Amino acid sequence: EHQMELLKLAAAIMSQDRYALLVVDSATALFRTDYTGRGELSERQMQMGQFLRQLTRLAEEFGVAVFITNQVVASPDSMSFAKDATKPIGGNIMAHASTTRLRLRKGRGENRI
């Protein structure tokens, strides 16, 4: 709910001046705190989908690029010896709303990835 209000505020600001980029830092964070447990998963995904659709409309209306950061979580169904046992939060809803996805991670020592 709070994020939807922020999108309305962003639209009002963008209608007054020209912007090229909208950054949404940790798009799934509030959804994770507002909806906990598997019992609320469906409602959470539905709300997240509405947020992402509104964000897409905003991007198209004002011609801005949208950069979204996301969280990852340990994947319980991954094998424990897997090189990277994390997966992004948001599932298919987040994946389908994205045009390009980048995965950044820390390297070991002086190695940067």
Side-chain angles (χ1 to χ4, degrees):
E1 187 175 305
H2 179 67
Q3 285 179 306
M4 294 300 277
E5 291 299 319
L6 290 175
L7 286 182
K8 290 177 186 174
L9 179 62
I13 292 170
M14 283 189 243
S15 67
Q16 297 173 4
D17 206 351
R18 175 115 171 91
Y19 292 87
L21 179 66
L22 174 62
V23 177
V24 180
D25 188 19
S26 195
T28 56
L30 289 179
F31 292 104
R32 291 185 71 200
T33 57
D34 289 347
Y35 301 96
T36 58
R38 292 211 180 266
E40 295 181 325
L41 181 62
S42 176
E43 177 67 20
R44 181 183 82 185
Q45 294 299 91
M46 186 174 69
Q47 293 297 320
M48 192 181 316
Q50 289 175 0
F51 171 74
L52 293 170
R53 278 191 299 279
Q54 187 63 30
L55 192 59
T56 301
R57 285 188 199 112
L58 195 70
E60 291 170 352
E61 181 179 345
F62 294 103
V64 297
V66 177
F67 184 86
I68 300 174
T69 66
N70 195 10
Q71 299 174 333
V72 295
V73 67
S75 178
D77 51 328
S78 294
M79 296 181 215
S80 61
F81 59 85
K83 188 173 184 178
D84 187 9
T86 60
K87 65 179 185 177
I89 299 293
N92 289 333
I93 300 291
M94 186 63 79
H96 291 296
S98 304
T99 302
T100 303
R101 298 186 334 172
L102 300 174
R103 182 183 175 118
L104 306 175
R105 65 181 175 95
K106 291 182 181 179
R108 292 187 180 160
E110 295 299 316
N111 187 16
R112 300 291 180 231
I113 300 170

